[in-house]
Amino acid sequence: MPKHKIAPSLLAADFTRLGEEIAMVNRSEADWLHLDVMDGRFVPNITFGMFIVEAVRRLCTKPLDVHLMIVEPERYVEAFRKAGADVITVHYEACPHLHRAVHQIKETGAMAGVALNPHTPVVVLENLLEDLDLVCLMSVNPGFGGQKFIYQTLPKVRQLRQMLTVANSPALLEVDGGIGLQNAEVLLRAGADVLVAGSSVFGAQNPEATLAALKALNETWL
Ligand code: DX5
Ligand code: ZN
């Protein structure tokens, strides 16, 4: 059985057919559903908030991986947990008191994740690794779906995998942005545990088959 997780990003779904898109995710081999919350301040774009997360929760049978691309995320951690988030990820760049924010997430019972922008070095998390359930390496500049994968992310995946191994940390290594069948395998080889994929899944002719193909990528070389 493959151990990596696939998390389709709802951002690329057809929002006029949200129920059907979530039903497809439920039927598929996806492990999590990734939800991109944007506030128009931390990132230039605005998407949705806890109202939609709560509605998705009522339909979705898979864990909800909520990626907060918002300033002062501490103010909304409780609300997103109440709305049904299973994983809550805040940005390192948005949190001057990251240790406090991470523990606030853990106290709600959700898994605590921290995301790093493409230019942020992984070493900034060195002294927090043992408290984290997930680290999300952004492989595009956050704000929009459908962007090109930034290849400088690849050495960061390798470096973070090494740091997690040395620290004996069980934190999951997630990569987010510009991922599809063309680069998923190299990311898994580099040490990724969770791949987020938006447009490559929802824009595919057959999204369910694409999820199955991403999930089936062999890891026996690891
Ligand atoms: C970008 C978001 C990503 C995005 C991924 O700000 O965090 O999760 O939805 O979309 P694709 O796979 O299309 O790059
Ligand atoms: Zn995301």
Side-chain angles (χ1 to χ4, degrees):
M1 280 291 279
K3 75 166 175 58
H4 66 273
K5 295 185 194 301
I6 302 297
S9 167
L10 198 68
L11 190 62
D14 178 351
F15 274 65
T16 65
R17 300 171 38 250
L18 205 49
E20 290 165 53
E21 300 277 54
I22 295 167
M24 182 282 293
V25 171
N26 289 346
R27 278 194 313 271
S28 78
E29 291 183 45
D31 296 276
W32 292 349
L33 181 59
H34 185 87
L35 299 175
D36 289 305
V37 177
M38 305 185 189
D39 65 353
R41 293 189 63 208
F42 179 66
V43 289
N45 202 5
I46 299 178
T47 54
F48 49 79
M50 40 274 189
F51 183 73
I52 295 285
V53 174
E54 199 270 326
V56 171
R57 172 75 291 163
R58 279 186 271 131
L59 292 178
C60 188
T61 57
K62 314 256 168 149
L64 300 183
D65 176 28
V66 175
H67 179 190
L68 298 180
M69 284 159 277
I70 64 177
V71 297
E72 300 180 33
E74 303 87 348
R75 293 175 57 197
Y76 299 100
V77 162
E78 289 272 330
F80 280 103
R81 177 62 176 161
K82 277 208 186 88
D86 296 283
V87 184
I88 299 178
T89 297
V90 295
H91 264 263
Y92 163 81
E93 300 83 2
C95 293
H97 306 289
L98 189 60
H99 178 276
R100 182 186 293 151
V102 163
H103 283 273
Q104 191 191 349
I105 297 170
K106 288 168 87 85
E107 273 161 31
T108 69
M111 284 173 70
V114 172
L116 300 182
N117 280 340
H119 73 278
T120 304
V122 292
V123 289
V124 297
L125 295 181
E126 200 168 4
N127 303 99
L128 195 59
L129 276 189
E130 65 190 67
D131 294 346
L132 301 180
D133 299 305
L134 178 141
V135 179
C136 174
L137 296 183
M138 293 305 301
S139 40
V140 297
N141 287 297
F144 303 93
Q147 302 181 82
K148 196 168 166 285
F149 182 85
I150 296 173
Y151 270 91
Q152 286 96 322
T153 311
L154 197 54
K156 289 176 70 182
V157 176
R158 294 198 186 100
Q159 194 186 351
L160 179 59
R161 171 51 59 204
Q162 175 83 10
M163 280 167 62
L164 292 169
T165 304
V166 170
N168 202 17
S169 164
L172 296 172
L173 196 168
E174 181 176 72
V175 189
D176 183 8
I179 299 173
L181 279 164
Q182 75 289 354
N183 56 9
E185 194 164 320
V186 77
L187 288 166
L188 294 172
R189 277 178 188 267
D193 298 305
V194 186
L195 300 180
V196 177
S199 41
S200 70
V201 168
F202 288 98
Q205 287 277 43
N206 187 338
E208 205 177 327
T210 306
L211 284 166
L214 286 166
K215 187 66 186 172
L217 290 169
N218 199 327
E219 286 184 280
T220 50
W221 61 81
L222 289 177

